[in-house]
Amino acid sequence: MRRWEISAGGRENLRLTHVARPSAGPRELLIRTSAVSLNSRDKMFIDSGAITQFALPFTPGSDMAGVVAAVGAGATRFSVGDRVLTSFTAGWLDGPPQPRGTEMPHSFGGDLPGVLAEYVALPEDWVVATPSSLSDIDASTLPVAGLTAWSALIELGHLQPGQTVLVQGTGGVSLFALQIAHAAGARVIVTSASDEKLARVKTFGATHGINRRSTPNWPQAVKDLTAGNGADHVLEMAGGENLNRSLEALAPNGRVSVIGVLEAFDYQFGAVPLFCNQATVQGIFIGPRRSLENFVRAVDHLRLKPVIDAVYDFEDLPRALEHLDRGPFGKIVIHL
Ligand SMILES: NC(=O)c1ccc[n+]([C@@H]2O[C@H](COP(=O)([O-])OP(=O)(O)OC[C@H]3O[C@@H](n4cnc5c(N)ncnc54)[C@H](OP(=O)(O)O)[C@@H]3O)[C@@H](O)[C@H]2O)c1
């Protein structure tokens, strides 16, 4: 079978290799991969050389939709032919994150081998059933981008109809947040560096768009659009000084979900906007399997259709990564 591998940091070191097909061990499933959606984390690991902390050669990719091809001894949750999705934080089934201090939970395409391979063998507990309303290409976008937005707004954010949500940018997480918030009856303001993308978000339910380049004081623009109140929920995607501005755009008793590191891994903010708004700032780490199962049910119920910017063939991974570099509108998917 074919599998993408990399042994040293840098995209030029990616190789499409041929390796033996794995087999399902006890309580494992052998899954034929149909689609893998990419996340900015995949790009970061490939480009930065951070993979050298993991077993080499490293296979990237965490978000897979596929079909069960064989069932290992003692596995009972799925049968041959079932459609499944990976649950990103493998082994985190429910409840709060496992106590691992500052260490990341186990995850595919991180400390566990990735899914950019024609077949993978995984413990049956690490996957969930695919929503029946979505194709595998669409469904592959749920495990990270979709679930992160769902966790921030619904599982942890308890979003209420009529509240205002501020979504930053038009990447994978942000457009899922827009669709989920719109479906929940919230008003959604989107920031973007592109007027063309801001026009497109209106078709997915955004009430207002703010160009963060031509309107550098976008927190004030959010206040202006909300009669001075601010947004009840802000999804912080950039890091660095941006968190300060997210707090400025926040309504009293509002909530910032800290998600992205598009600009920086360190966050800076002053105490005053935090105090004055009695703000809640919560880190988000994707979510456990139970949250993904809830999200899958909601996707079927709402007929939510993920926004996919482009689909690439398996051998075109380098081109797909270049598309991620340019800033996607929604998700980029690799099709096998
Ligand atoms: N904590 C978690 O659980 C979690 C889970 C998933 C992702 N993340 C992180 O969240 C971030 C976004 O992930 P993603 O997969 O949605 O990325 P993505 O699909 O690659 O989205 C990138 C988009 O973000 C926007 N953007 C770029 N720089 C920005 C900035 N400085 N301020 C605001 N928006 C900016 C751009 O949209 P415009 O062109 O419209 O401006 C760009 O298209 C990444 O840092 C990722 O690592 C965290």
Side-chain angles (χ1 to χ4, degrees), residues 77 87-89 91-96 125 127-128 147 150-151 154-156 158 286-298:
R77 293 184 68 231
S87 174
F88 173 85
T89 42
W92 180 17
L93 303 186
D94 199 356
D125 279 342
V127 299
V128 305
L147 181 56
W150 174 260
S151 294
I154 307 296
E155 299 268 348
L156 298 167
H158 308 294
I286 301 161
R289 191 184 81 189
R290 198 256 321 136
S291 301
L292 181 58
E293 288 166 339
N294 285 354
F295 181 45
V296 163
R297 275 193 292 277

Side-chain angles (χ1 to χ4, degrees), residues 40 148 170-173 192-193 197 212 259-263 284 286 327-328:
S40 57
T148 300
T170 58
V173 176
S192 172
K197 290 179 178 178
R212 67 171 188 277
I259 296 172
V261 288
L262 288 164
E263 278 180 17
I284 302 294
I286 301 161

Side-chain angles (χ1 to χ4, degrees), residues 38-41 43-44 144-145 148 168-174 191-194 197 212 236-238 242 258-263 284-287 324 326-331:
L38 299 181
N39 292 295
S40 57
R41 163 188 188 262
K43 194 163 70 86
M44 193 174 67
V144 167
T148 300
Q168 300 175 351
T170 58
V173 176
S174 297
T191 65
S192 172
S194 153
K197 290 179 178 178
R212 67 171 188 277
E236 165 61 52
M237 303 308 292
N242 198 63
V258 174
I259 296 172
V261 288
L262 288 164
E263 278 180 17
I284 302 294
F285 194 73
I286 301 161
L324 267 189
R326 295 193 294 276
F329 184 84
K331 293 297 293 178

Side-chain angles (χ1 to χ4, degrees), residues 88-287:
F88 173 85
T89 42
W92 180 17
L93 303 186
D94 199 356
Q98 292 144 332
R100 301 189 73 213
T102 54
E103 266 183 65
M104 294 283 209
H106 298 298
S107 61
F108 303 109
D111 62 335
L112 300 171
V115 294
L116 277 163
E118 286 176 324
Y119 287 85
V120 290
L122 303 175
E124 63 168 352
D125 279 342
W126 295 1
V127 299
V128 305
T130 302
S132 56
S133 58
L134 294 185
S135 69
D136 282 0
I137 287 177
D138 286 338
S140 71
T141 63
L142 304 188
V144 167
L147 181 56
T148 300
W150 174 260
S151 294
L153 291 173
I154 307 296
E155 299 268 348
L156 298 167
H158 308 294
L159 174 66
Q160 300 299 312
Q163 288 190 318
T164 299
V165 176
L166 175 67
V167 168
Q168 300 175 351
T170 58
V173 176
S174 297
L175 290 195
F176 268 113
L178 164 59
Q179 290 181 289
I180 292 166
H182 177 59
R187 184 178 180 216
V188 189
I189 303 172
V190 180
T191 65
S192 172
S194 153
D195 284 334
E196 185 261 328
K197 290 179 178 178
L198 287 175
R200 288 171 74 191
V201 294
K202 301 268 174 66
T203 64
F204 295 98
T207 347
H208 299 284
I210 303 170
N211 188 315
R212 67 171 188 277
R213 291 236 170 95
S214 56
T215 310
N217 192 359
W218 53 262
Q220 184 58 48
V222 173
K223 295 264 175 181
D224 293 344
L225 289 168
T226 53
N229 197 48
D232 302 293
H233 294 258
V234 177
L235 274 72
E236 165 61 52
M237 303 308 292
E241 201 275 327
N242 198 63
L243 178 53
N244 219 8
R245 294 159 21 94
S246 293
L247 285 164
E248 284 169 29
L250 201 63
N253 282 346
R255 172 188 181 84
V256 180
S257 295
V258 174
I259 296 172
V261 288
L262 288 164
E263 278 180 17
F265 270 88
D266 291 324
Y267 287 85
Q268 295 134 34
F269 60 96
V272 172
L274 191 72
F275 291 161
C276 292
N277 280 325
Q278 295 205 139
T280 300
V281 176
Q282 176 149 33
I284 302 294
F285 194 73
I286 301 161

